[in-house]
Amino acid sequence: MLKRTPLIAGNWKMNKGTAAEATALIGEVLSKSEGISGAEIVVCPPSTVLYTLKGILGGSERVALGAQDVYWKSAGAYTGQLSPEMLADAGVSYVLIGHSERRGRFGVAEPDFTEGILKHFGETDASVNRKAVAALAANLKPVICVGETLSEREEGTTDGVIQAQVEGALDGISTTQMTHIVFAYEPVWAIGTGKTCSSDEADRVCGVIRAALSDLYDAETAGTVRILYGGSMKPDNASELLVQPNIDGGLIGGASLKAGDFIAIAKAAASLPS
Ligand code: PGA
């Protein structure tokens, strides 16, 4: 099996989206990450600052640029959307797809969720799939987010929910294309809440994703796909999560807004035994 290089991706969400804020944060990320090798670092800022960061990063080998969403059409009357080709031109190489804050399967507010998690933009497994296919065609690497809600976990349906999301996302994607796909397991109840999934359970569910990939493709392909954990990952819990055999990195929200915390997590990933 090929060694999987850890990937640490920062999801800035709707933060640090002014040129001044983004310039300041990326400057710190660049300086603090100097000398790190052995882990890939990606930042996913708001789209308003992609070109700004492209200019600053200048094709940096250490820090790559990601987008938070993509549309599947190349051009046309799709108000507010960004095509894969536009994102590629803006220097993007990774794109988050199907983040729980964009998925619409919650329908209406459920009492189990904090307000902050209840944003929904109507994303479905089918739209996630279209976006992944279109991103791959433009040489972008999709980071496909999957995860169960608290009520799904309490009902005991976690594994089935995850398997359905993985399968739904990959319709029509070939074995060769799978080398460009990354998954992120993000239990919805652990995002932005300070609640982390235990490292054993996070590893187990990442293993469920890998087993699903093995069923859909083959064991070798499943063994090369990187699976990240996301949900309240911070410097003090990162090592314990990252050392797990099925966890190949992190998708970091809140802690990615502080360069020191973000890079501490990247250093934890880079220092893992290979
Ligand atoms: P969090 O967010 O690290 O703030 O929990 C993770 C994410 O939503 O990707």
Side-chain angles (χ1 to χ4, degrees), residues 9-13 96 99-101 145 184 186-188 190-195 229-234 250-256:
N11 177 9
W12 293 7
K13 308 190 180 183
L96 306 181
H99 190 281
S100 63
E101 285 153 19
C145 305
E186 298 206 310
V188 177
I191 295 178
T193 57
K195 285 184 198 159
Y229 169 77
S232 301
M233 194 187 269
K234 299 181 210 69
L251 181 53
I252 327 291
S256 73

Side-chain angles (χ1 to χ4, degrees), residues 106 108-118 149-151 188-189:
F106 312 126
V108 291
E110 291 178 47
D112 287 340
F113 303 113
T114 61
E115 253 241 286
I117 303 173
L118 281 171
T149 62
L150 185 58
S151 47
V188 177
W189 48 272

